[in-house]
């Protein structure tokens, strides 16, 4: 097999990956083919062909390609940051098409790069819109718990113990400051990036993974409960069903 990284040495990073570093601009990691292990903020994300991850400025990250993997890592416009420090995007068909166009066009000058960077930014900003508007708690400990609750699988008991706060107090703060019970707030926070993925044409399996659900059925059941959209409609055509669905109402 040809060692492609030796053919065009200045682009070897796309074939072999790179050690830990960070950028002052937001950043996208996109797998063209094969696999790539992204380690960002100490978190491991195994990305497969056409999957992407969106990183905020200043996030330490490293990439190791696997199975003949090739990656692109375009820097984004200032201000084009994900809602979280790291947002796993899964396979987004419109993004795959756009980045394939970038590969074919091979823009090299700043003037040629600019329209592609703008188009990528517009696509990603659509991803960042929250289907469920959420109020974040003001209490500093509850705010820290909220950030972790949306990104980890730790239980309420584990989160409360880690932050040295009682479960009862934490539950009370969430209701008082967000208007939602902790569990429902957490579910909606996890569903938001998954819904954004579906609204721009992404698939249900990837959306379930993004939201941290172990099964497709569990994801669809939670989404149906929170949106009021029947599971059958979500299964048949999720983007159309979500756009036409009931406005989420706190329970």
């Amino acid at each position: 097999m040809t060692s492609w990284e030796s053919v065009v040495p200045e682009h070897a990073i796309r074939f072999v990956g790179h050690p830990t570093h960070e950028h002052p601009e937001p950043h996208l990691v996109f797998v063209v083919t094969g696999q790539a292990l992204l380690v960002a903020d100490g978190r491991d994300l195994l990305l497969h062909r056409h999957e992407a991850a969106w990183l905020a400025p200043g996030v330490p990250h490293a990439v190791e390609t696997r199975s003949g993997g090739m990656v692109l890592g375009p820097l984004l416009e200032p201000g084009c940051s994900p809602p979280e420090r790291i947002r796993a995007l899964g396979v987004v068909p419109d993004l795959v098409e756009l980045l394939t166009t970038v590969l074919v066009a091979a823009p090299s000058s700043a003037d040629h790069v600019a329209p592609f960077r703008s188009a990528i930014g517009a696509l990603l900003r659509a991803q960042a819109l929250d289907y469920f508007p959420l109020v974040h708690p003001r209490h500093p400990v509850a705010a820290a718990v909220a950030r972790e609750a949306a990104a980890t699988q730790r239980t309420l008991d584990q989160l409360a113990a880690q932050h040295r706060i009682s479960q009862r107090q934490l539950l009370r703060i969430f209701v008082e400051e967000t208007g939602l019970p902790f569990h429902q707030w957490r579910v909606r926070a996890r569903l938001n990036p998954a819904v954004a993925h579906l609204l721009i044409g992404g698939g249900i399996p990837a959306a379930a993974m993004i939201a941290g659900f172990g099964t497709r059925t569990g994801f669809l059941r939670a989404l149906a409960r929170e949106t009021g959209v029947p599971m059958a409609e979500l299964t048949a055509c999720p983007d159309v069903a979500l756009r036409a669905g009931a406005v989420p109402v706190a329970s």
Side-chain angles (χ1 to χ4, degrees), residues 54 81-84 87 89 121-134 188-200 242-243:
W54 183 12
S81 295
E84 313 87 30
R87 173 165 283 198
L89 298 176
L123 188 58
L124 292 175
R125 288 187 186 96
Q127 270 270 336
L129 296 176
D130 285 340
Y131 189 83
F132 300 103
L134 293 174
R188 290 188 172 193
R190 289 181 170 177
L191 287 174
N192 270 333
V195 172
H197 178 76
L198 292 172
L199 287 174
I200 60 173
L242 287 166
R243 288 191 179 94

Side-chain angles (χ1 to χ4, degrees), residues 7 31 38 45-46 52 95 129 148-149 152 171 217 221 227 232 246 250:
V7 176
V31 179
L38 170 67
L45 287 173
L46 182 60
L95 184 62
L129 296 176
E148 293 187 36
T152 73
L171 292 172
T217 300
R221 186 178 294 119
T227 61

Side-chain angles (χ1 to χ4, degrees), residues 11 14 72 98-109 112-113 116:
H11 295 320
R14 299 179 180 177
L72 288 180
L98 178 55
L99 290 176
T100 301
T101 304
V102 171
L103 281 171
V104 173
S108 55
S109 71
H112 291 166
V113 168
F116 289 103

Side-chain angles (χ1 to χ4, degrees), residues 10 30 37 49 54 76 98 102 122 127-128 132 141-142 147 155 177 180 207-208 232 236 243 249-250:
E10 61 266 34
F30 173 78
L37 176 64
R49 178 175 177 268
W54 183 12
L76 306 173
L98 178 55
V102 171
Q127 270 270 336
F132 300 103
V141 175
R147 287 192 295 271
T155 65
E177 297 191 358
L180 292 172
R243 288 191 179 94
V249 177

Side-chain angles (χ1 to χ4, degrees), residues 145 152-161 167 182 186 190:
V145 169
T152 73
Q153 297 293 333
R154 293 189 183 95
T155 65
L156 173 62
D157 181 49
Q158 291 171 330
L159 289 168
Q167 289 189 48
F182 171 82
R186 182 180 203 175
R190 289 181 170 177

Side-chain angles (χ1 to χ4, degrees), residues 11-250:
H11 295 320
I13 193 173
R14 299 179 180 177
F15 297 92
V16 299
H18 46 69
T20 302
H21 66 292
E22 58 187 68
H23 303 287
E25 308 93 344
H27 181 46
L28 191 69
V29 176
F30 173 78
V31 179
V32 179
T33 190
Q35 298 178 350
L37 176 64
L38 170 67
V39 182
D41 265 353
R43 172 185 170 193
D44 290 359
L45 287 173
L46 182 60
L47 303 176
H48 300 83
R49 178 175 177 268
H50 290 172
E51 292 183 339
W54 183 12
L55 307 181
V59 172
H61 63 282
V63 173
E64 174 194 327
T65 59
R66 298 178 175 181
S67 303
M70 291 181 280
V71 298
L72 288 180
L75 297 175
L76 306 173
E77 298 170 312
C80 184
S81 295
E84 313 87 30
R85 282 175 61 80
I86 307 162
R87 173 165 283 198
L89 298 176
V91 178
V92 180
D94 288 349
L95 184 62
V96 174
E97 181 176 345
L98 178 55
L99 290 176
T100 301
T101 304
V102 171
L103 281 171
V104 173
S108 55
S109 71
D111 287 345
H112 291 166
V113 168
F116 289 103
R117 184 168 288 159
S118 178
I120 294 170
L123 188 58
L124 292 175
R125 288 187 186 96
Q127 270 270 336
L129 296 176
D130 285 340
Y131 189 83
F132 300 103
L134 293 174
V135 176
H136 288 253
R138 300 181 302 277
H139 188 286
V141 175
V145 169
R147 287 192 295 271
E148 293 187 36
T152 73
Q153 297 293 333
R154 293 189 183 95
T155 65
L156 173 62
D157 181 49
Q158 291 171 330
L159 289 168
Q162 177 186 341
H163 291 275
R164 300 181 181 179
I165 187 172
S166 73
Q167 289 189 48
R168 183 175 180 180
Q169 183 183 7
L170 189 58
L171 292 172
R172 176 181 58 77
I173 291 171
F174 262 83
V175 171
E176 290 178 354
E177 297 191 358
T178 74
L180 292 172
F182 171 82
H183 175 72
Q184 187 175 25
W185 190 97
R186 182 180 203 175
V187 168
R188 290 188 172 193
R190 289 181 170 177
L191 287 174
N192 270 333
V195 172
H197 178 76
L198 292 172
L199 287 174
I200 60 173
I204 292 173
M209 180 194 70
I210 290 168
F213 282 81
T215 67
R216 178 176 182 272
T217 300
F219 167 69
L220 288 171
R221 186 178 294 119
L223 188 57
R225 182 180 65 247
E226 295 301 321
T227 61
V229 178
M231 280 184 64
E233 294 180 20
L234 291 171
T235 302
C237 197
D239 57 332
V240 173
L242 287 166
R243 288 191 179 94
V247 176
V249 177

